[in-house]
Amino acid sequence: MIVLAVMVLVPICWLLLTSFQDPATQQLTFDNYRSAFTHSYLLDPIVNSFKMAFAVGLIAVGVGTPLAWLVSRTDMPGRRLLRPLILAGFVTPSFLGANAWIFLAAPNSGMVNNWIRDLFQVDHPVFNIYGLGGCIFVIALYSIPYTFSFVSATLELMSSELEDAATTLGSGTFRTTFSITLPLALPAILAGFVLSFLEAIELFGPPAFLMIPARQQVMTTQLYLFFSEFPPQIEVAAAYAMPLLLVTVTLLWVQRRLLGRRRFVTVSGKGGVRRRMALGRWRWPFAVLAFIPPFLSVLLPYFALLVVSLQRVWGKGVFSPGNLGLYWYKWAIFDNPTTRNAIEHSLEYSAAAATLSVVVATLVAYLVVRRLVLFAPALGFVAMAPFVVPGIVLAIGFLAAYSRPPLLLYGTPFILIAAYATRFLPIAYSNGQSILQGINIDLENAARTLGAGRLRSMWEITLPLLRRGILSGWLLVLIPALRELSASVFLFTPKTHVITTVIFDFSDAGNYEAVSTMGILMMLITFVIVIAAYRLMGRDLAARSSYA
Amino acid sequence: MSGIHIAQLRKVYGDTIALHDIDLEVENGEVMALLGPSGCGKTTTLQLLAGFLRPDAGEIRVADRVVSTARSVVPPERRNMSLIFQSYAIWPHKTVRENVAFGLQVRSVARGEITRRVDRALATVRLDRLADRYPAELSGGQQQRVALARAMVVEPDILLLDEPLSNLDANLREEMRFEVRRLHDETGITMVYVTHDQAEAMVTADRIAVMNLGRIEQVATPYEVYERPTTQFVAAFIGRTNTLTGKVVSKGVVELDGLGVKVRAQDETGCASGEEVAVCIRPHQVLFERPANGANEIRGRVARSSYLGESRDYQVDIAAGQPRVRVTAPPALYVEVGQETTLFLPIEHCRVVIRS
């Protein structure tokens, strides 16, 4: 319980308190809010943030919905390949995508700009990824998967009979699609919009990489600037973070209501037949269109990252002698202590955070699901609370709470570990809750009637049954923690560099070969861990024989 | 000695009372069935007996030891009672042998002794050849047997069973009823058996406690609850019955509502004259022909008849406000639908019961 308080309650309380504190005298004051929301140069970022979030939400929904429909309900060629490609966009961190797009579409050096220049003999760059527009483009690319997976899940559960009912009443194919199919998918579409909106407004990476060089700011980059100035204005930053917190809390509440009320109505076509719609001669044109988003979000960026990371000097060309090779990989893994340490730190901190998160989450979930203590629902609420706190805001809370006695964590690895564990606690908690609910309480009670105490029953019966679920929860925390940027940037010190902060620094310094190498390494590490874990679990399954 | 004494036991959930101060004595070595529809409080009673719930009032004693009061509850692991769960609760990550051995390991029995006792328990339920299987590889009936072996191997003082056969198919259920009874006859253990199936209760139990809405309506042998029910609920819940409502005129005489007819019936209720009661008679005991002994006579009109092969079922209207009387007659006896007729209700088969 104390751990839970340290992780969640103390930082949030300090965040609130700090926002009302005078930096010098520690007295309560509204000055921070006044200085945060009266200067026009501080209001522009807020406007930018909302513009960006709306644009991203609209694009994500506008592209994700038809994609979902094409993959789930039509006979478009290549639809089986499209799904994993789109989901590959899901696992790619958007700050990595942002860097890849710098290689592709920076005004002077961007590869796409160069290709066009060479092909069409134009003398000015066609694309410029820097600025608000480029940032919207990149974030939207990586938000499409939300809408796509929500909508396709809904469409796949929806029976064709619902559409047939309209068709038998004389409605044409496209009319049916627009008046029956899409409205039924509306809650999913809205959920996709809300999540994309939130993602865009909370993200720190892409705006930092793409907008700061263009001297444009959004709320998250402005928060960062409060800290990079000297002296850091932590109190003003805390006040400035409040609208961000307010937006996320409100939107997630709205989304919960939307999903909660409509979900069961929509997904009532259980057992119905689902037929695919024949696209006829539009099959191939649609297929080509549908492959554009994953091409832009996955294929092209990874190609760019690979090409840049494999060259000793990007710009000399792939064919220049001695330029192509694994120079930077050797450098990152063996020669450079900073990157080597960062990789080790990332692994250590993420593993520690995942362990901490899963232990706390499982205990809380156990208390809540088995109703062992009176205040259990409150505990569950606290465990879910970080879900509404953007990473950057959480980081400010941690800074406010733990860069002073009694618990001086700033500068140690523990502040990063605690921040990761807290940020992803809701994932671990909801995972733990759902697996615990799946375990019949009779299994524990049976052990107790046979003479085992509560602890022994938990140790011998509940825990072994939870093992697979706990491992998957551990992975669900480990993977996002490995690529966490927005809180890390505030909490790291040169001694506690992690992969993401190293990438951030290299990008700042223009060392793009190192950026892409570290990015590729980060993705490789993630995949190796996931595959190894599934192997382990698979063997466990085979040995124990499956049990539903 | 492990008789169970339940006194004034009450359990409240929020503002619904799940158990209304029930009293029940289960004798040592007896099989007591708790029978009733869902929501009657039978499972709550069992959970209280097992120690998973704390009563709001009253007490439970086993032999001379108080195990549950509103203030203190001996935890389940220290009661030496085994419980068979409706879901079997066989641990999926342990083999059959490991499942059965668990209770002995908890009791720190020596390893050789564990092997010997587990083997014997598995042989008793005819599972010795499946000892190293995982539960997912067993059929429902086999899982049920694992649960029995696991519960019995620790030699509990009392065996509690919570709807143990309700997840089995009909044939297997019938077979397992006898299996449970055989287990009792071999070990002589005290059992409390919760079920909503009257046939199951009648086959397995020495006595049945019929429960309804948190109260015990009647505790008696299977023969008695069927032949001599004391309340309308018991009469209707155990087998089919006709219940005619009326008022007591004097002991053994009831005037039926809407008919003005006075009928004579067996009366052990002790109800005073003027009280609202019901008169019960089983369908197969209602006759169309006058019997040798005395019988009540009621005029009626046949509303429906159905031929069922082994018998004929009639429904006869007798008066507004009274339910149709169902008569099970021999197939050869035929009465036209719509015909006026006289029904004979033998006095020895009519029983006065408390209205519920």
Side-chain angles (χ1 to χ4, degrees):
Chain A
M1 301 317 98
I2 295 168
V3 180
L4 200 61
V6 167
M7 286 169 68
V8 182
L9 293 178
V10 173
I12 293 179
C13 291
W14 268 108
L15 177 74
L16 293 172
L17 182 63
T18 308
S19 73
F20 291 107
Q21 260 182 347
D22 186 280
T25 63
Q26 309 284 304
Q27 244 135 29
L28 293 184
T29 166
F30 277 105
D31 283 354
N32 301 322
Y33 285 87
R34 208 165 299 135
S35 44
F37 300 112
T38 47
H39 301 293
S40 71
Y41 78 96
L42 288 179
L43 291 180
D44 285 346
I46 301 179
V47 176
N48 277 344
S49 270
F50 278 94
K51 269 195 212 160
M52 183 167 84
F54 260 109
V56 165
L58 288 180
I59 297 175
V61 164
V63 179
T65 309
L67 269 184
W69 178 74
L70 284 170
V71 168
S72 320
R73 301 310 293 266
T74 71
D75 62 347
M76 183 187 72
R79 54 177 192 270
R80 281 193 197 83
L81 185 64
L82 198 59
R83 184 187 295 274
L85 270 179
I86 291 173
L87 295 181
F90 224 168
V91 302
T92 308
S94 54
F95 72 85
L96 203 56
N99 271 303
W101 271 98
I102 292 176
F103 310 151
L104 289 165
N108 294 315
S109 52
M111 294 181 215
V112 177
N113 280 332
N114 289 342
W115 295 333
I116 293 174
R117 191 154 44 210
D118 296 345
L119 268 175
F120 302 105
Q121 305 297 317
V122 283
D123 53 355
H124 58 89
V126 180
F127 299 111
N128 182 1
I129 199 67
Y130 291 113
L132 184 60
C135 192
I136 290 172
F137 169 74
V138 169
I139 299 180
L141 274 183
Y142 295 98
S143 301
I144 291 170
Y146 291 118
T147 311
F148 174 81
S149 36
F150 289 158
V151 176
S152 67
T154 305
L155 290 180
E156 271 156 28
L157 282 168
M158 198 164 76
S159 163
S160 292
E161 285 162 16
L162 294 173
E163 293 162 321
D164 293 347
T167 315
T168 54
L169 292 172
S171 160
T173 304
F174 280 91
R175 174 152 188 181
T176 305
T177 301
F178 279 96
S179 59
I180 305 294
T181 319
L182 281 181
L184 281 174
L186 198 62
I189 296 173
L190 282 175
F193 179 85
V194 169
L195 268 192
S196 307
F197 187 98
L198 281 177
E199 173 97 343
I201 213 165
E202 301 182 7
L203 267 182
F204 170 71
F209 292 121
L210 299 175
M211 291 179 66
I212 292 179
R215 304 200 169 281
Q216 290 174 325
Q217 308 297 339
V218 290
M219 277 195 268
T220 50
T221 56
Q222 184 58 49
L223 281 171
Y224 177 71
L225 292 185
F226 283 132
F227 281 86
S228 51
E229 287 163 7
F230 193 84
Q233 295 176 276
I234 187 166
E235 290 79 12
V236 181
Y240 197 72
M242 285 302 147
L244 205 52
L245 192 58
L246 216 64
V247 170
T248 51
V249 172
T250 319
L251 274 183
L252 283 171
W253 180 77
V254 167
Q255 191 214 2
R256 249 205 141 132
R257 299 212 42 159
L258 278 177
L259 280 183
R261 286 216 350 249
R262 291 247 218 144
R263 186 165 36 199
F264 302 105
V265 187
T266 322
V267 185
S268 58
K270 192 188 167 198
V273 189
R274 280 165 289 277
R275 261 177 293 102
R276 294 183 176 277
M277 183 184 290
L279 291 174
R281 62 202 162 94
W282 292 100
R283 291 179 72 210
W284 287 101
F286 271 133
V288 171
L289 277 178
F291 272 90
I292 291 177
F295 178 74
L296 295 179
S297 66
V298 178
L299 299 180
L300 212 49
Y302 277 110
F303 169 77
L305 286 172
L306 264 178
V307 165
V308 173
S309 71
L310 290 173
Q311 296 177 75
R312 190 161 184 157
V313 182
W314 177 39
K316 261 171 86 178
V318 184
F319 305 108
S320 124
N323 197 27
L324 196 65
L326 293 172
Y327 171 81
W328 287 103
Y329 290 91
K330 178 167 169 291
W331 174 85
I333 298 172
F334 301 106
D335 302 346
N336 184 313
T338 310
T339 50
R340 201 180 54 216
N341 287 336
I343 293 172
E344 280 171 15
H345 290 161
S346 269
L347 288 172
E348 287 163 13
Y349 301 170
S350 313
T355 310
L356 175 62
S357 207
V358 163
V359 168
V360 173
T362 310
L363 279 175
V364 174
Y366 188 80
L367 293 179
V368 173
V369 173
R370 297 287 184 251
R371 297 199 186 87
L372 289 187
V373 286
L374 260 174
F375 49 90
L379 285 179
F381 180 79
V382 173
M384 282 308 282
F387 189 55
V388 299
V389 183
I392 206 157
V393 178
L394 191 75
I396 298 171
F398 265 80
L399 269 183
Y402 300 123
S403 57
R404 68 185 88 208
L407 211 51
L408 189 78
L409 294 180
Y410 183 68
T412 70
F414 298 109
I415 198 164
L416 283 163
I417 293 170
Y420 295 162
T422 307
R423 219 189 142 185
F424 306 114
L425 185 65
I427 301 179
Y429 173 72
S430 47
N431 180 65
Q433 206 183 14
S434 67
I435 30 177
L436 269 170
Q437 274 162 351
I439 294 181
N440 193 333
I441 192 168
D442 285 354
L443 292 170
E444 279 168 50
N445 284 348
R448 300 203 53 202
T449 58
L450 290 172
R454 192 178 278 286
L455 278 180
R456 181 154 187 179
S457 316
M458 192 173 168
W459 185 251
E460 285 211 36
I461 308 299
T462 318
L463 269 183
L465 290 172
L466 280 176
R467 191 165 48 168
R468 277 182 59 216
I470 286 180
L471 183 56
S472 72
W474 192 79
L475 280 178
L476 283 174
V477 176
L478 179 82
I479 290 163
L482 259 180
R483 25 196 270 202
E484 209 291 334
L485 173 68
S486 51
S488 314
V489 162
F490 287 84
L491 301 174
F492 87 97
T493 56
K495 277 189 192 152
T496 55
H497 252 309
V498 290
I499 297 179
T500 50
T501 58
V502 162
I503 291 178
F504 184 76
D505 275 5
F506 283 146
S507 182
D508 215 24
N511 187 349
Y512 291 120
E513 296 87 348
V515 168
S516 48
T517 306
M518 290 302 281
I520 296 273
L521 282 177
M522 182 173 78
M523 294 312 288
L524 276 179
I525 291 170
T526 311
F527 283 125
V528 167
I529 290 173
V530 172
I531 289 167
Y534 275 95
R535 276 280 164 81
L536 262 176
M537 279 200 268
R539 200 179 305 150
D540 188 50
L541 264 184
R544 288 285 175 186
S545 95
S546 65
Y547 179 78
Chain B
M1 292 294 283
S2 23
I4 304 170
H5 313 273
I6 296 177
Q8 293 295 299
L9 196 65
R10 183 192 306 162
K11 181 68 192 171
V12 181
Y13 293 112
D15 29 308
T16 53
I17 303 176
L19 281 184
H20 287 274
D21 307 338
I22 62 163
D23 293 301
L24 184 66
E25 299 279 323
V26 182
E27 280 162 30
N28 186 33
E30 185 180 32
V31 181
M32 173 68 77
L34 302 181
L35 175 66
S38 59
C40 72
K42 57 190 192 296
T43 297
T44 301
T45 309
L46 200 76
Q47 297 267 315
L48 284 161
L49 276 172
F52 290 117
L53 295 178
R54 171 190 293 266
D56 293 298
E59 67 169 29
I60 302 172
R61 280 183 297 134
V62 172
D64 290 324
R65 175 178 173 223
V66 176
V67 293
S68 286
T69 64
R71 259 165 297 133
S72 76
V73 172
V74 175
E77 59 267 27
R78 292 217 304 270
R79 296 191 166 213
N80 205 26
M81 297 181 184
S82 285
L83 175 53
I84 306 269
F85 294 84
Q86 185 171 6
S87 61
Y88 316 142
I90 302 296
W91 301 308
H93 61 300
K94 291 180 183 286
T95 61
V96 169
R97 174 179 294 285
E98 287 164 352
N99 262 283
V100 178
F102 181 83
L104 297 173
Q105 286 161 355
V106 171
R107 285 165 172 72
S108 309
V109 175
R111 189 167 305 164
E113 174 79 0
I114 290 181
T115 315
R116 208 174 49 74
R117 279 169 71 177
V118 169
D119 284 342
R120 200 176 57 206
L122 287 175
T124 312
V125 294
R126 286 166 288 168
L127 277 179
D128 27 354
R129 264 177 296 164
L130 301 177
D132 295 315
R133 294 273 188 95
Y134 279 95
E137 299 162 326
L138 302 182
S139 70
Q142 289 166 336
Q143 291 192 21
Q144 177 68 73
R145 282 191 242 268
V146 177
L148 277 173
R150 187 178 70 181
M152 292 303 294
V153 76
V154 296
E155 292 170 2
D157 297 330
I158 292 165
L159 183 63
L160 308 173
L161 303 99
D162 185 7
E163 305 253 5
L165 309 183
S166 63
N167 284 336
L168 299 176
D169 62 53
N171 288 335
L172 208 51
R173 203 177 316 163
E174 209 155 314
E175 188 189 321
M176 289 302 290
R177 280 177 200 160
F178 294 108
E179 187 105 356
V180 170
R181 185 67 214 186
R182 183 175 65 88
L183 196 74
H184 171 265
D185 295 344
E186 282 173 10
T187 56
I189 188 177
T190 308
M191 283 168 127
V192 178
Y193 190 114
V194 161
T195 180
H196 63 269
D197 180 332
Q198 49 146 323
E200 208 170 295
M202 292 178 106
V203 171
T204 47
D206 296 316
R207 284 195 300 157
I208 299 175
V210 184
M211 297 185 71
N212 185 34
L213 300 172
R215 292 194 165 86
I216 293 181
E217 300 256 337
Q218 186 174 4
V219 185
T221 63
Y223 177 83
E224 279 186 323
V225 290
Y226 186 82
E227 295 293 338
R228 297 162 66 189
T230 54
T231 71
Q232 187 184 350
F233 176 82
V234 174
F237 192 76
I238 313 283
R240 294 195 310 161
T241 196
N242 294 297
T243 46
L244 307 175
T245 57
K247 277 194 191 67
V248 176
V249 176
S250 60
K251 184 175 164 64
V253 181
V254 174
E255 182 178 327
L256 297 181
D257 297 342
L259 280 165
V261 175
K262 293 192 178 83
V263 295
R264 289 197 289 147
Q266 310 299 314
D267 187 357
E268 293 167 19
T269 59
C271 286
S273 55
E275 265 188 73
E276 304 258 335
V277 291
V279 174
C280 291
I281 184 164
R282 304 279 173 194
H284 63 267
Q285 286 160 341
V286 181
L287 306 170
F288 285 106
E289 283 152 1
R290 187 186 301 276
N293 297 344
N296 301 295
E297 293 176 26
I298 297 176
R299 295 289 296 167
R301 180 198 297 271
V302 175
R304 266 190 174 179
S305 103
S306 23
Y307 176 68
L308 298 174
E310 290 179 19
S311 63
R312 247 180 228 282
D313 252 26
Y314 291 100
Q315 295 186 25
V316 182
D317 283 327
I318 53 167
Q322 292 284 7
R324 279 178 179 165
V325 174
R326 304 181 69 130
V327 184
T328 303
L333 197 155
Y334 182 67
V335 189
E336 197 88 39
V337 170
Q339 193 178 319
E340 294 274 341
T341 179
T342 304
L343 297 177
F344 297 92
L345 283 52
I347 295 164
E348 74 265 30
H349 294 310
C350 291
R351 288 191 63 80
V352 179
V353 292
I354 294 164
R355 196 137 9 133
S356 49

